[in-house]
Amino acid sequence: MKALRFMLLLGLALGAGDALAAGPPCTLIRGASLPGEDGERVVDVVVSGDRVAEVAPAGAATATGCEEVDASGRILTPGLVDPYTQLGLVEVSLEAPTVDTDLKAPFQDGSGQIRASVRADYAYNPRSSLIPVTRLEGVTSAISVPAGGTVSGSSFWVDLAGPRQADAIQRAPLAMHASLGARAESRATAFQTLDVALREALDFAARQAAWEQNRTPGFLLPRLDLAALLPVARGEIPLVVAVGRASDIEGLLRMTEGTRLRLVVAGGAEAWMVRDALARRRVPVILDPLVYGPRGFDAVAARPDNAVLLHAAGVPVMFSTFSSHHARKLRQLAGNAVREGLPHQAALDAMTRVPAEVFGLADHGHVAPGAVANLVLWSGDPLELSTRVEGLWIHGQRLPLTSRQTALRDRYRRLPVDRTR
Amino acid sequence: MRRTATRVALWGAVALLWSACATAPAAEREGDPGAPTALEQLEARAHAPVEDPDPAVGGPFTLQGATVMTATGERYAPGYVVVVDGRVEAVGAGTAPTPKGPVLDVSGQFVTPGLIDAHSHLGVLAEPHVKATDEVNEAVAPNTAGVWAEHGFWPQDPGLERAARGGVTTLLVLPGSANLIGGRGVTIHLRPARGARAMRFPGAPDGVKMACGENPKRVYGQKGGPQTRMGNVAGHRAAFAAAQRWLADNRGKKPEEVARDVKMETLAAALEGRALVQVHCYRADDMLAFLAAADEFGVTVAAFHHALEAYKIRDILAARHIGVATWADWWGFKMELYDGIPENLAFVAEAGGDAIVHSDSGEGIQRLNQEAAKGLASGRAAGAQLSDDDALRWITVNPARALGISDQVGTLEVGKRADLVVWDRDPFSVYARARWVYVDGVRIIDRDAARVPWSDFELGQEVER
């Protein structure tokens, strides 16, 4: 870490309590390489409070009195975003009391297939040991997603900021989640469930007043679910559909033709086969480039260059580990997509700019004045396996590069065990 | 570039049994100390080939100009490899003094030994994952020592070709970990054939899969036990004790007099060291408990698999030369994985232990090089002094040793099988791809050529571009 020299300049010799009261200090990150559409620029980045205040050519930053970080020879990127995780909803996957992804609840339709009204964010545990572990690999934001049923409930966007829900949760509900594909019954039933639920939400909006006066028949779905689905049907929040088989994606596109839905495909093992249709409808795809092989009959045509073909066709691409404990592998996924032919910048965008745009968090996913200061300083190419995170800021706060795992590492660094650590 | 193989390769299973005599009890060798014991003769019958393995071997050819990473500590940049009759005839720095066959210019590229996965379920948990292809756990009783992964191995698993495209040339296919004793594993040499037996690595001993910790007690907790870790260890000890008795009862008999018992034959092979014990175990204390039971009955552990807490007991594992087969960064999906750290591989290696990157995954087996690279980076960041060659050993010679085949593969050395990979760049880069993959000098993967799927399953599927 000798390249990262900290120079405490005037005015910042405050105690911890004072610092808290004064808000985060301003930070000047000097001489970082900032990748972008037009190649890398060497810049100074000023962070003030929780935002980026200035991005200037190296040496040209005007801020004074900031804590300075020498970032020369280092790469600076926005914090990475995994848009489909269970972070903060799972601690140990096989220990049921630590798993909070299933939103089946009493106040919803009896089949358990529609859980639209339940929000996952109240279950979010910002003190989960997974969060620092994930952060150490440069992931600063995640969307945490419920599972189960055909309509699984709503997700939320978190910045992996610290121990308070209020600091971490950026938007909830963020998006509605559904799944199509193989199930006990015909997969056709899931299409109908989703279709009816979304149509009835609009119908509900149109007939609610009459219904409250008993002048019109009731609804198939509980009112709570209809209310939760209304912003989805109106295109106010995205509908993320977990679906892999090409024909299921086609079915989804056919079924929703002419609607105002903001569709996002998650999984999309065979999405490359219907890339032109996805591009026409501007439907983004969240995928895992590491999954390769006909792992089931919904993925017979899975191929490693899925992201490459989708991107070339104009489909916005994002990457996800679809995981909790593996979310830290995100940049390895991107590296593999580049290996298969995806442009390097597109791979970085897929983990930063694209999820911010698709999910409507305009102040995330880029390094520019006014953006939330979620920043990662890398020792080299962020996608390369030998590269390490050397600096990490979330909401302008520099976070220590520690986790429960680094504590174990330090305790067992030498044997016999050092019980003082 | 194909030549007919030696009979040794053809009759590898038989050769194994003869070579294994050294470890069998001397008391049975009265008269002819080199003769196989009755149990060894029975094993030979059980392993006899039906389909002859492909006799073709590759060479002569010469790879010239690449960075040659040998996994012996030597790195030649640039260097050469000469392959003749499926074997490495020469390897060294600079230009090959006596090249044989066509000289292939691979300047700027990298050559490594073929990668070896010490823990796979390809073929027994085959793609497509449907009920009918799930052969991994005979979860009907906690001790199913009599089952063999080979007998459930589907050679048409499309994952096998994917593994080869990732540079893998050999893999140990194991039964799952539901059972205390899950059955025999089979070492597969990646040369496509119509049945598992013809794909057996010539001369490789069988593995015996055992498991400790959460899985057996979860699977059998409501089905008669074991219900606890206490029950797990009692189950292992009871099985070892019974096998000892059976061995004593059947020693010195003629093959036709042996009281045939397929469970006991597997356990006896494990006790006598003719089959290698591969133990699924995560926690440090679980590994120590297993070792106590193993010591009691004279059982040698070849490797602990998954072994997320190996770093806590790396001194003990290194002193005993027990392999540590693990991932770079998996953790947390069960309680016994809660203390996993990404420095595990590096700390084990630094302590002189046999660190091994395994996959246990159809995805991970396609990227063993990337997993090793991650483990190396984590270790170096923590101050471990490790070379690239050290990390290469995690995916080559160290698993070869755990599988009992390091005399044949795992390094680029004269006389070894020409199982090798030509990478388009440094194999520890995320961008690296295996361009050519050779087994016995035969090019099984060629990225320069149009792909024809290995698996019959993939033929004729409606998969247009």
Side-chain angles (χ1 to χ4, degrees):
Chain A
M1 298 280 279
K2 66 176 177 239
L4 292 180
R5 298 193 308 273
F6 295 92
M7 287 172 281
L8 204 61
L9 298 184
L10 64 148
L12 283 172
L14 302 170
D18 293 333
L20 204 63
C26 86
T27 306
L28 171 53
I29 302 170
R30 276 207 185 279
S33 294
L34 185 68
E37 240 10 275
D38 309 317
E40 276 178 21
R41 290 185 294 149
V42 181
V43 296
D44 291 346
V45 174
V46 178
V47 174
S48 178
D50 66 346
R51 302 274 155 171
V52 173
E54 186 181 358
V55 179
T62 55
T64 55
C66 296
E67 182 181 355
E68 292 199 15
V69 175
D70 176 1
S72 54
R74 302 293 189 272
I75 309 265
L76 186 74
T77 68
L80 309 184
V81 185
D82 186 329
Y84 204 110
T85 75
Q86 294 85 43
L87 281 173
L89 299 177
V90 176
E91 187 68 18
V92 178
S93 314
L94 253 59
E95 296 296 343
T98 75
V99 178
D100 295 299
T101 53
D102 187 326
L103 303 186
K104 195 169 185 314
F107 308 118
Q108 53 186 210
D109 95 298
S111 73
Q113 288 300 308
I114 299 169
R115 302 135 178 230
S117 63
V118 192
R119 292 169 51 162
D121 58 293
Y122 293 118
Y124 179 68
N125 177 16
R127 295 177 186 83
S128 163
S129 71
L130 282 74
I131 285 161
V133 166
T134 307
R135 210 161 53 197
L136 283 184
E137 290 293 326
V139 179
T140 63
S141 304
I143 299 174
S144 288
V145 176
T150 299
V151 178
S152 304
S154 64
S155 61
F156 55 100
W157 179 300
V158 287
D159 287 351
L160 307 180
R164 308 261 172 234
Q165 277 194 347
D167 295 334
I169 297 170
Q170 303 302 297
R171 186 171 298 168
L174 177 80
M176 190 60 64
H177 288 261
S179 66
L180 296 171
R183 59 202 59 232
E185 319 77 34
S186 164
R187 67 189 64 218
T189 61
F191 282 95
Q192 195 215 31
T193 305
L194 187 57
D195 191 33
V196 167
L198 290 166
R199 284 172 187 276
E200 198 165 61
L202 292 171
D203 190 28
F204 172 72
R207 292 196 288 128
Q208 184 175 12
W211 174 71
E212 280 166 354
Q213 294 161 26
N214 260 340
R215 292 189 285 110
T216 184
F219 300 93
L220 295 169
L221 268 63
R223 195 164 51 90
L224 287 172
D225 287 322
L226 293 170
L229 285 164
L230 190 55
V232 183
R234 285 178 169 160
E236 291 159 14
I237 68 170
L239 174 65
V240 182
V241 184
V243 55
R245 199 169 85 177
S247 65
D248 288 342
I249 300 172
E250 284 184 289
L252 176 66
L253 294 178
R254 276 205 302 139
M255 186 177 82
T256 59
E257 185 86 53
T259 66
R260 284 186 286 165
L261 292 173
R262 277 168 60 194
L263 283 179
V264 178
V265 163
E270 295 185 343
W272 66 272
M273 296 175 87
V274 290
R275 58 195 184 277
D276 293 337
L278 288 165
R280 258 196 313 278
R281 290 275 293 273
R282 293 294 296 168
V283 176
V285 176
I286 306 172
L287 59 87
D288 177 358
L290 301 193
V291 172
Y292 164 39
R295 65 183 187 277
F297 279 94
D298 283 13
V300 170
R303 50 186 297 158
D305 54 358
N306 195 10
V308 184
L309 297 169
L310 288 166
H311 174 76
V315 178
V317 170
M318 293 165 275
F319 303 128
S320 179
T321 58
F322 299 102
S323 170
S324 47
H325 297 80
H326 288 174
R328 64 172 163 190
K329 289 174 60 172
L330 187 64
R331 64 196 181 97
Q332 187 188 4
L333 275 57
N336 278 267
V338 172
R339 182 179 81 158
E340 299 302 326
L342 189 71
H344 192 273
Q345 187 58 41
L348 280 177
D349 288 347
M351 300 185 290
T352 54
R353 182 179 59 74
V354 179
E357 286 175 6
V358 167
F359 291 97
L361 274 83
D363 57 0
H364 281 66
H366 57 283
V367 181
V372 168
N374 292 350
L375 303 170
V376 186
L377 194 59
W378 307 87
S379 64
D381 175 0
L383 309 190
E384 195 49 280
L385 302 164
S386 56
T387 298
R388 310 295 296 175
V389 171
E390 296 195 341
L392 184 81
W393 291 262
I394 298 182
H395 298 176
Q397 295 267 21
R398 184 164 195 161
L399 295 176
L401 300 175
T402 56
S403 70
R404 190 172 170 276
Q405 293 189 359
T406 64
L408 283 160
R409 177 197 68 195
D410 294 345
R411 170 171 281 187
Y412 286 92
R413 185 65 192 92
R414 303 279 169 233
L415 292 178
V417 184
D418 180 359
R419 300 251 171 233
T420 66
R421 303 187 80 157
Chain B
M1 281 198 280
R2 289 176 166 229
R3 287 280 171 86
T4 303
T6 62
R7 289 177 59 82
V8 176
L10 256 171
W11 299 101
V14 178
L16 146 73
L17 296 162
W18 290 92
S19 67
C21 289
T23 59
E28 290 185 64
R29 307 201 188 286
E30 289 163 26
D32 181 1
T37 66
L39 292 179
E40 287 164 353
Q41 291 176 52
L42 292 171
E43 285 286 305
R45 284 182 209 167
H47 287 83
V50 176
E51 174 191 10
D52 288 338
D54 184 352
V57 294
F61 63 88
T62 301
L63 297 170
Q64 180 66 58
T67 297
V68 179
M69 301 171 74
T70 61
T72 63
E74 294 292 341
R75 177 190 177 105
Y76 306 115
Y80 63 88
V81 182
V82 180
V83 173
V84 175
D85 288 339
R87 299 271 166 175
V88 175
E89 182 167 282
V91 56
T95 305
T98 44
K100 300 282 174 65
V103 176
L104 306 171
D105 179 3
V106 284
S107 300
Q109 301 178 44
F110 285 69
V111 180
T112 67
L115 308 190
I116 300 174
D117 189 353
H119 192 120
S120 173
H121 301 299
L122 290 183
V124 292
L125 201 60
E127 294 178 300
H129 300 308
V130 292
K131 227 155 99 181
T133 57
D134 182 354
E135 314 288 355
V136 74
N137 277 302
E138 182 71 5
V140 299
N143 177 358
T144 58
V147 309
W148 295 22
E150 177 189 338
H151 298 143
F153 180 88
W154 188 45
Q156 302 291 344
D157 184 349
L160 295 167
E161 182 196 346
R162 267 84 178 166
R165 293 175 83 78
V168 171
T169 52
T170 297
L171 57 153
L172 175 60
V173 175
L174 290 164
S177 51
N179 299 352
L180 295 174
I181 298 165
R184 293 202 199 197
V186 59
T187 297
I188 294 289
H189 208 202
L190 273 181
R191 301 192 52 176
R194 289 169 294 178
R197 183 142 301 175
M199 296 175 74
R200 274 182 163 272
F201 190 101
D206 283 342
V208 182
K209 177 72 179 291
M210 302 190 189
C212 68
E214 291 181 27
N215 282 12
K217 74 181 196 124
R218 185 180 63 252
V219 173
Y220 295 102
Q222 310 303 319
K223 292 199 285 186
Q227 196 169 51
T228 63
R229 287 180 152 83
M230 300 186 291
N232 286 349
V233 178
H236 288 130
R237 294 176 70 224
F240 297 154
Q244 267 189 347
R245 272 196 309 278
W246 183 86
L247 256 179
D249 290 347
N250 289 285
R251 273 217 179 97
K253 292 185 175 170
K254 293 180 180 138
E256 57 273 21
E257 295 167 350
V258 170
R260 296 297 306 269
D261 182 323
V262 294
K263 272 168 76 171
M264 290 301 174
E265 285 163 26
T266 293
L267 289 164
L271 282 170
E272 291 192 340
R274 289 181 282 111
L276 301 180
V277 176
Q278 311 287 353
V279 188
H280 158 116
C281 211
Y282 287 95
R283 264 175 26 191
D285 55 314
D286 281 340
M287 289 186 263
L288 293 175
F290 189 93
L291 285 176
D295 286 353
E296 181 186 356
F297 294 93
V299 172
T300 302
V301 175
F304 281 115
H305 293 238
H306 315 331
L308 259 63
E309 293 187 9
Y311 67 93
K312 297 185 183 179
I313 53 169
R314 58 193 188 271
D315 51 338
I316 296 168
L317 298 175
R320 289 167 171 250
H321 306 290
I322 296 173
V324 172
T326 188
W327 305 278
D329 55 11
W330 288 24
W331 73 289
F333 50 92
K334 299 174 201 168
M335 197 61 215
E336 61 194 3
L337 284 81
Y338 202 54
D339 284 6
I341 63 171
E343 296 82 5
N344 194 30
L345 282 158
F347 285 4
V348 168
E350 187 190 44
D354 275 2
I356 296 166
V357 175
H358 72 6
S359 78
D360 192 18
S361 152
E363 178 268 304
I365 197 172
Q366 301 178 31
R367 298 173 185 82
L368 291 177
N369 56 315
Q370 293 181 17
E371 298 305 300
K374 285 191 292 183
L376 180 63
S378 296
R380 284 177 172 164
Q385 302 293 317
L386 295 167
S387 67
D388 286 8
D389 193 84
D390 288 325
L392 181 62
R393 281 177 238 174
W394 303 347
I395 49 180
T396 54
V397 70
N398 289 1
R401 199 172 301 130
L403 272 49
I405 52 175
S406 58
D407 56 334
Q408 299 197 62
V409 287
T411 59
L412 293 182
E413 287 180 282
V414 172
K416 284 204 172 178
R417 289 176 184 274
D419 291 7
L420 41 94
V421 185
V422 177
W423 304 86
D424 61 356
R425 66 179 76 203
D426 183 335
F428 292 140
S429 165
V430 74
Y431 308 122
R433 301 200 332 171
R435 180 183 176 203
W436 296 331
V437 182
Y438 297 89
V439 173
D440 290 334
V442 176
R443 193 183 286 175
I444 60 164
I445 294 296
D446 184 348
R447 281 207 188 259
D448 306 337
R451 175 178 171 243
V452 178
W454 286 11
S455 173
D456 296 348
F457 172 78
E458 291 192 86
L459 288 184
Q461 300 279 3
E462 197 63 44
V463 180
E464 81 279 13
R465 270 206 77 136

